[in-house]
Amino acid sequence: MGLILFYEVIMRYFFNSPTVWTQEVSVYLFMWCMFGGAAYALQKGKHVNIDLLTMRMSEKKQSLLKVLTSLVGVAFCSEIAVQGWGMIASAVKYQKHSPTPLQIPLWIPQSALFVGFALLALQFVVIVLDEFDFLRTGERPAVQEGGHR
């Protein structure tokens, strides 16, 4: 994405020949990176976390809260993924394309929403399973580095 935008700057300012495709492709790449990276960030525990209240809780209460918030996350992300699937189905059925000279089939960028939120929902399920395991055994796997498997 950075190379595409760099190319656009060179073409626009040095050759006075802007392109028609760089902005659209950059936005689509950004969508894939953002939605694809969200589940990875959640897995590694690198998402935004407000721990002002939770750091004062016992580890068991923290785990119960993680289960509750992760179940809400599963429900929310699953609903977004289902809606994303509907958008993809509609785009394929009606052969929707971007209203730009590239005419990219819209199911391609819309797939980022579905894939990203489906992966997020699955990662929330993994967190719930990990926390249930901790609540059952009282131990956390040694391989965790602040995140989840």
Side-chain angles (χ1 to χ4, degrees), residues 1-10 22-23 26-27:
M1 188 173 72
L3 291 174
I4 290 171
L5 293 175
F6 177 72
Y7 173 78
E8 173 63 14
V9 168
I10 298 297
T22 55
Q23 182 179 5
S26 294
V27 168

Side-chain angles (χ1 to χ4, degrees), residues 32-50:
W32 275 98
C33 290
M34 182 181 66
F35 288 130
Y40 180 74
L42 182 60
Q43 177 194 28
K44 296 299 181 185
K46 302 295 183 187
H47 58 289
V48 175
N49 211 0
I50 302 172

Side-chain angles (χ1 to χ4, degrees), residues 10-89:
I10 298 297
M11 295 305 292
R12 181 178 302 245
Y13 293 107
F14 293 110
F15 298 105
N16 198 27
S17 179
T19 61
V20 295
W21 60 271
T22 55
Q23 182 179 5
E24 181 178 9
V25 171
S26 294
V27 168
Y28 295 156
L29 286 173
F30 178 75
M31 288 171 53
W32 275 98
C33 290
M34 182 181 66
F35 288 130
Y40 180 74
L42 182 60
Q43 177 194 28
K44 296 299 181 185
K46 302 295 183 187
H47 58 289
V48 175
N49 211 0
I50 302 172
D51 60 357
L52 182 63
L53 297 175
T54 59
M55 69 183 191
R56 292 187 161 100
M57 295 177 170
S58 69
E59 199 169 0
K60 183 177 179 179
K61 286 182 182 178
Q62 287 179 20
S63 186
L64 288 169
L65 185 59
K66 274 187 188 177
V67 167
L68 177 65
T69 57
S70 294
L71 288 172
V72 171
V74 169
F76 176 78
C77 292
S78 297
E79 178 61 24
I80 299 297
V82 167
Q83 295 299 318
W85 183 257
M87 286 174 34
I88 293 167

Side-chain angles (χ1 to χ4, degrees), residues 47-143:
H47 58 289
V48 175
N49 211 0
I50 302 172
D51 60 357
L52 182 63
L53 297 175
T54 59
M55 69 183 191
R56 292 187 161 100
M57 295 177 170
S58 69
E59 199 169 0
K60 183 177 179 179
K61 286 182 182 178
Q62 287 179 20
S63 186
L64 288 169
L65 185 59
K66 274 187 188 177
V67 167
L68 177 65
T69 57
S70 294
L71 288 172
V72 171
V74 169
F76 176 78
C77 292
S78 297
E79 178 61 24
I80 299 297
V82 167
Q83 295 299 318
W85 183 257
M87 286 174 34
I88 293 167
S90 175
V92 169
K93 180 179 180 180
Y94 297 111
Q95 298 179 355
K96 295 180 181 178
H97 291 79
S98 64
T100 63
L102 287 181
Q103 291 288 299
I104 292 178
L106 285 180
W107 68 266
I108 295 171
Q110 289 173 348
S111 294
L113 181 75
F114 169 72
V115 170
F117 275 91
L119 289 173
L120 266 171
L122 288 174
Q123 186 56 48
F124 276 122
V125 169
V126 169
I127 291 171
V128 169
L129 295 175
D130 283 350
E131 294 306 319
F132 276 148
D133 192 46
F134 168 72
L135 290 168
R136 185 177 55 81
T137 66
E139 296 179 8
R140 296 216 181 266
V143 290

